[in-house]
Amino acid sequence: MKSGLSFSFVLKNLWARRLTTTLTVLGMALVVFVFACVLMMTEGLRQTMAGTGAYDNVVLIRKGSQTEVQSSVTREQARLVSILPGLATDSQGNSRTVAESLVLINLPRTGGEGNANVVVRGTSAAGIGMRPQIKLISGRLFEAGASEVIVGEGLTRGRLGIQLGDMLNFGARQWRVVGVFSADRSGFESELHADRDQIMQAFRRQVFSSVVVSLENTGTFSRFDQAVGQQPSLNFDVQRESVFYANQSEKMANFIEILGTSIAMIFSLGAMIGATITMYSSVANRVREIGTLRALGFQRGNILSVFLAEAISLGLIAGLLGIFCAFWMQRLEISTTNVQTFSEVVFKLTMTPAVGVQVLLFSLVMGAVGGLLPAYRASRMEIVDALRNG
């Protein structure tokens, strides 16, 4: 009984039919590329939203509200929250809290591509100070009492292209863009920030949208949550800020993942059929070779494994090629509407090790499934028939 055939034997056979090998690999790589881009898009959106806010900050919105825009918090409720235990304090001994007002406005996209819903966050210098990831990269902070905004870096690119010094019309006023800020590629980069009181006056708001507090330390979340629950007038959902924003993208991320994966699966059927045809062709052209190998003592299992290894090798090469091409798509930035919050969100496609492994496994499975039937047919050939008909 002979032992198995070497891997170099597999590679030589693929090289001997390099034209069909190349065409099959390209077809499979295209499917892998599409699948990788879908996963990168989902990962990019999740990382953008999950990276929004600080873990030690807590967001309070009215119970049952899906977003900050739908929520309402009275001044008395905001004051009561600020004196609860478990909160960090500033140098003057005051708790680090900020009540914010959020509105959605319509701004025209460049090139006449319609309007985009953009979040305007009415906040304060203290509120911005509670988010260490927000950093001014040009201009200055808005002044209290002035119709000024600062713009997230994501909105300065792509389809909105808001620039420092621009004048924006919303809330029956003109607002000057006085600064641009970055926020570690988080969801804040898709927002405009302005003085809270000016936003509330412009939109005639009597109540806030949410309250954000900084915890004394990570372990005081339960204590603070319990204190909120003990106050009958505080009918709030309490979530860590990073968790809150991660949840804001979950439905859209799931939608992209399901839709994109379904499309990739349909494409993969075509790729697997291509691999099957290539491997059947390989078997048909090597009937005499199969008979000779069997005559030399190689078992059916050896024949099955060598053809299966060829098919999986096709999947491996296609997978690596597809991942290489998809890697460069990280330069692409997408600006679209988050269907959960109905606001514009800007994010980049993101390749992670987990995405790479998932895509490579997908490609290997495509190769294995496509080569299974031809490999089985090759292993079932009788020695005499193979030598006579080859």
Side-chain angles (χ1 to χ4, degrees), residues 104-109 114-120 160 169-170 342:
L104 276 179
I105 61 169
N106 281 129
L107 290 178
R109 292 190 170 106
N115 293 329
N117 289 329
V118 177
V119 168
V120 181
L160 283 170
N169 293 306
F170 61 86
F342 299 105

Side-chain angles (χ1 to χ4, degrees), residues 311-325:
I312 293 174
S313 297
L314 288 173
L316 177 64
I317 298 169
L320 294 175
L321 179 61
I323 290 173
F324 175 77
C325 295

Side-chain angles (χ1 to χ4, degrees), residues 245-301:
Y245 287 112
N247 291 339
Q248 297 284 295
S249 66
E250 202 54 35
K251 285 183 181 175
M252 183 172 176
N254 288 339
F255 172 75
I256 293 173
E257 190 170 18
I258 292 171
L259 178 65
T261 302
S262 302
I263 293 172
M265 289 299 173
I266 292 170
F267 284 175
S268 72
L269 290 177
M272 283 189 286
I273 291 172
T276 302
I277 292 171
T278 299
M279 294 309 300
Y280 265 127
S281 172
S282 176
V283 171
N285 292 327
R286 293 158 63 189
V287 173
R288 181 177 291 278
E289 178 186 322
I290 294 168
T292 303
L293 290 173
R294 292 295 316 282
L296 290 173
F298 289 100
Q299 302 299 305
R300 294 185 189 278

Side-chain angles (χ1 to χ4, degrees), residues 58-62 68 71 73 81 84 209-213 224 228 234 236-239:
V58 174
V59 177
L60 296 95
I61 59 173
R62 189 188 63 198
E68 291 170 280
S71 171
V73 178
V81 168
L84 292 178
S209 302
S210 62
V211 178
V212 180
V213 302
F224 175 73
V228 173
L234 300 182
F236 290 152
D237 282 327
V238 181
Q239 295 183 64

Side-chain angles (χ1 to χ4, degrees), residues 26-98:
L26 288 178
M28 294 174 74
L30 180 62
V31 176
V32 172
F33 173 78
V34 171
F35 185 56
C37 286
V38 168
L39 295 185
M40 289 167 65
M41 194 182 300
T42 306
E43 188 64 27
L45 178 61
R46 283 187 170 138
Q47 284 195 11
T48 296
M49 297 306 289
T52 305
Y55 187 69
D56 284 345
N57 285 348
V58 174
V59 177
L60 296 95
I61 59 173
R62 189 188 63 198
K63 198 174 281 294
S65 302
Q66 299 298 314
T67 66
E68 291 170 280
V69 175
Q70 298 170 341
S71 171
S72 62
V73 178
T74 65
R75 291 181 185 275
E76 179 58 26
Q77 287 174 320
R79 191 198 63 79
L80 184 54
V81 168
S82 69
I83 59 175
L84 292 178
L87 301 182
T89 55
D90 58 22
S91 57
Q92 297 177 337
N94 299 317
S95 62
R96 298 189 67 195
T97 66
V98 60

